[in-house]
Amino acid sequence: MSDAWIIAADGEPASETARAVAELGFRPMRMTLNGGGESGWKEGTPRAPDVAIVLDSLDAVASLRRTEGLGDVPVVLTVEADQIEDLDAIIDVDELIVRPFGKGELRARIARARRQANGIAPDDVVRIGTLQIDLATYQVSVAGDPIDFTYMEYELLKFLATHPNRVFSREALLSRVWGYDYYGGARTVDVHVRRVRAKLGAGHAHRIKTVRSVGYRFEAPPPTPAPGTQPPGGGTPWA
């Protein structure tokens, strides 16, 4: 199940928002800015969420962006209508929604925020050559043949494939995929990468690159433009 952090000082709007995201299929987690105990993220932060929904607090948005491993989490900021005049200060959110809002609008804003941050929507299918990762059904296939991954093998592959061409240290992968409350060592990442490569086979194992003394990155080609469209930076259209 996908996690959604609900970050607010006022309990009542937070409860309403939590109920709404739960109805959308997310697991709501109440988080606070102070980092105290299990409710905070400055110390003992659990695995990064699939989306963070912040009620009113630009300080919370800034804290999320500064925290290592959380800077690219999709952020939806919700505000009251009378707070619109302060929007000039909002620069680090992926989506803005004015309360009150309906479930349909919240679903659309979350999907747009996730696409803005990661380039995908929660119901998208990641296709890289013959490799296909269905983010809705947790299924992976190569050339149409399904591949059986354990849960954590799938989570590792999904994370790397949805953050292509970016280098992640082993420590960053532990925090983003396994969660800060996981007590295994960096060796865990190496073991899972080896298993994922083996299951992907010769056609795709090479996509998970080892960056010496740093960690790993998932190599994916840029999207192929439609025939006749202009490539970035000008030049001649692709055939």
Side-chain angles (χ1 to χ4, degrees):
M1 178 178 289
S2 299
D3 291 338
W5 284 8
I6 312 298
I7 305 167
D10 190 328
E12 186 57 33
S15 297
E16 295 175 1
T17 305
R19 285 194 293 270
V21 298
E23 291 177 4
L24 295 177
F26 291 87
R27 177 173 59 187
M29 300 176 64
R30 175 69 184 271
M31 304 296 287
T32 59
L33 179 60
N34 60 21
E38 296 180 353
S39 61
W41 67 79
K42 289 186 178 180
E43 297 179 3
T45 305
R47 188 174 64 191
D50 295 88
V51 65
I53 301 176
V54 180
L55 279 67
D56 306 327
S57 174
L58 292 178
D59 288 340
V61 173
S63 179
L64 282 168
R65 295 309 191 204
R66 288 194 304 266
T67 302
E68 183 178 358
L70 297 179
D72 59 351
V73 167
V75 175
V76 177
L77 178 66
T78 78
V79 297
E80 300 286 354
D82 59 5
Q83 296 173 299
I84 294 294
E85 61 186 32
D86 299 325
L87 295 188
D88 288 343
I90 300 173
I91 58 174
D92 283 335
V93 300
D94 299 296
E95 278 293 323
L96 175 71
I97 186 169
V98 178
R99 299 193 298 271
F101 49 80
K103 184 170 64 175
E105 183 178 2
L106 180 60
R107 177 189 292 109
R109 297 291 184 178
I110 290 176
R112 287 175 56 178
R114 296 181 73 181
R115 185 179 295 278
Q116 177 77 9
N118 300 326
I120 59 169
D123 57 349
D124 274 352
V125 175
V126 177
R127 295 182 178 88
I128 303 166
T130 59
L131 173 64
Q132 179 171 300
I133 306 171
D134 191 318
L135 305 183
T137 64
Y138 287 74
Q139 294 177 326
V140 180
S141 63
V142 171
D145 295 327
I147 303 175
D148 185 21
F149 285 98
T150 67
Y151 177 76
M152 293 313 304
E153 290 168 356
Y154 171 84
E155 288 293 314
L156 176 61
L157 174 62
K158 180 184 76 170
F159 179 81
L160 290 171
T162 55
H163 297 80
N165 304 314
R166 291 179 52 184
V167 178
F168 292 93
S169 68
R170 292 169 175 81
E171 291 73 20
L173 289 171
L174 279 174
S175 66
R176 297 298 302 273
V177 178
W178 278 264
Y180 278 101
D181 54 352
Y182 180 75
Y183 294 101
R187 178 65 177 164
T188 298
V189 177
D190 297 332
V191 171
H192 279 74
V193 166
R194 184 170 66 248
R195 291 174 180 169
V196 170
R197 283 171 171 164
K199 291 183 179 181
L200 288 177
H204 294 284
H206 68 280
R207 297 193 183 280
I208 303 179
K209 302 290 187 181
T210 300
V211 181
R212 189 176 298 276
S213 301
V214 181
Y216 298 97
R217 68 180 172 89
F218 188 92
E219 187 174 83
T224 302
T229 58
Q230 193 77 3
T236 57
W238 275 278

